Amino acid sequence: MKYYITADIHGFYSEFHKALDEAGYFIDPEPHKLIVLGDLFDRGQEAVEMQRLILELAR
């Protein structure tokens, strides 16, 4: 199993989504998990989008 690990996203949804995309997270056919550590929503202007993405990925 492959693990994608990130920390301190701080509400920067666009950058986070781009990083996951560049790492192949969304097209990875093998079983994989995303581990998010640290602050998710406290600075960036895209906290709502970040929350939606995290909730969607948690399903």
Side-chain angles (χ1 to χ4, degrees), residues 43-54:
R43 292 186 195 152
Q45 301 299 314
E46 300 171 300
V48 172
E49 293 86 348
M50 183 65 71
Q51 181 180 14
R52 285 186 188 133
L53 177 63
I54 295 298

Side-chain angles (χ1 to χ4, degrees), residues 25 32 51-59:
Y25 178 82
H32 58 279
Q51 181 180 14
R52 285 186 188 133
L53 177 63
I54 295 298
L55 290 174
E56 180 182 313
L57 294 176
R59 293 184 193 168

